[in-house]
Amino acid sequence: IAGITQAPTSQILAAGRRMTLRCTQDMRHNAMYWYRQDLGLGLRLIHYSNTAGTTGKGEVPDGYSVSRANTDDFPLTLASAVPSQTSVYFCASSASRITSGANVLTFGAGSRLTVL
Amino acid sequence: GENVGLHLPTLSVQEGDNSIINCAYSNSASDYFIWYKQESGKGPQFIIDIRSNMDKRQGQRVTVLLNKTVKHLSLQIAATQPGDSAVYFCAEINSGGYQKVTFGIGTKLQVIP
């Protein structure tokens, strides 16, 4: 089934540890995104990539880094996790620029991260 | 209004009744809007979208209404079913330029059997 695969689905992590959340899509979408979702707040963009080889900062990029070596993969790394990074993380993709119809965001199932 | 602190706004509806979920958006330059449905433990799923040159769009059992004058969006679900129980949130997009997508915090729809 075409879509986005995220791993792990859930992780408990000690503060200060490094963690990489994986995201793979098989739809050949150009654009990919990482969001975090916290209760009482809307989805907030962490980082994005409009095409392979390029990345950009979203509204809450601090403490996170991404890479886009190829079209399919877009890993998110927490270099030194802190408790405020406890959240549910969603990877998403879109065919290209978000305008309408087929270019809407497609989301993965999420990765629940708890930093102690 | 959307933000009520740590608790999502909740709408409880009897099965078979119609549901109306509201969303106030913030940017008058937004020209494209999407409604998403998020079931527990899953990622958001596209339901329906509308462009700013329209004020109404209908899908299967769902209708989105857009009032640009007051920057208000609503999602109407006809004959609500237990499978409609989820969190629903809107997204506003300025499709030109930076293409920033802003999401609402969501409304939890509880369908009472």
Side-chain angles (χ1 to χ4, degrees):
Chain A
I1 297 176
I4 295 178
T5 302
Q6 290 186 234
T9 56
S10 181
Q11 182 75 45
I12 298 174
L13 188 66
R17 297 297 297 268
R18 180 183 179 90
M19 178 71 194
T20 295
L21 303 180
R22 299 183 299 278
C23 174
T24 300
Q25 53 104 357
D26 61 2
M27 299 173 283
R28 306 303 292 172
H29 282 177
N30 285 316
M32 297 187 74
Y33 314 82
W34 274 105
Y35 289 90
R36 59 177 290 173
Q37 186 177 48
D38 303 289
L39 190 62
L41 299 173
L43 287 161
R44 292 181 293 168
L45 182 64
I46 304 171
H47 285 286
Y48 66 94
S49 168
N50 286 328
T51 189
T54 69
T55 63
K57 294 182 179 180
E59 56 185 302
V60 288
D62 293 344
Y64 305 96
S65 63
V66 291
S67 61
R68 187 86 184 279
N70 57 63
T71 298
D72 299 343
D73 301 299
F74 190 45
L76 176 73
T77 297
L78 289 68
S80 179
V82 295
S84 62
Q85 292 178 309
T86 294
S87 188
V88 181
Y89 291 86
F90 287 99
C91 181
S93 70
S94 62
S96 58
R97 291 170 62 82
I98 301 170
T99 54
S100 63
N103 290 338
V104 297
L105 289 171
T106 300
F107 286 88
S111 295
R112 181 175 294 275
L113 183 65
T114 302
V115 182
L116 301 177
Chain B
E2 294 279 7
N3 194 338
V4 290
L6 295 179
H7 302 285
L8 283 177
T10 299
L11 175 67
S12 295
V13 175
Q14 203 73 36
E15 181 179 357
D17 288 350
N18 296 336
S19 303
I20 300 176
I21 300 169
N22 296 305
C23 176
Y25 66 92
S26 57
N27 186 356
S28 56
S30 296
D31 59 355
Y32 177 49
F33 305 88
I34 305 173
W35 278 100
Y36 284 93
K37 172 185 181 182
Q38 186 175 19
E39 296 175 277
S40 181
K42 297 184 179 180
Q45 290 181 294
F46 171 89
I47 302 174
I48 192 168
D49 60 354
I50 189 168
R51 299 193 63 80
S52 59
N53 60 354
M54 303 171 70
D55 54 21
K56 180 179 180 179
R57 190 167 187 219
Q58 290 184 289
Q60 187 177 11
R61 276 203 311 120
V62 294
T63 300
V64 55
L65 298 178
L66 175 63
N67 185 332
K68 296 181 288 293
T69 302
V70 295
K71 291 190 285 188
H72 183 268
L73 198 64
S74 69
L75 176 71
Q76 301 178 1
I77 303 173
T80 311
Q81 301 168 0
D84 295 327
S85 293
V87 174
Y88 292 81
F89 54 89
C90 63
E92 59 176 303
I93 298 143
N94 181 352
S95 61
Y98 179 51
Q99 284 223 309
K100 177 174 165 56
V101 182
T102 302
F103 293 90
I105 66 166
T107 296
K108 184 176 182 179
L109 177 65
Q110 291 181 329
V111 181
I112 305 165

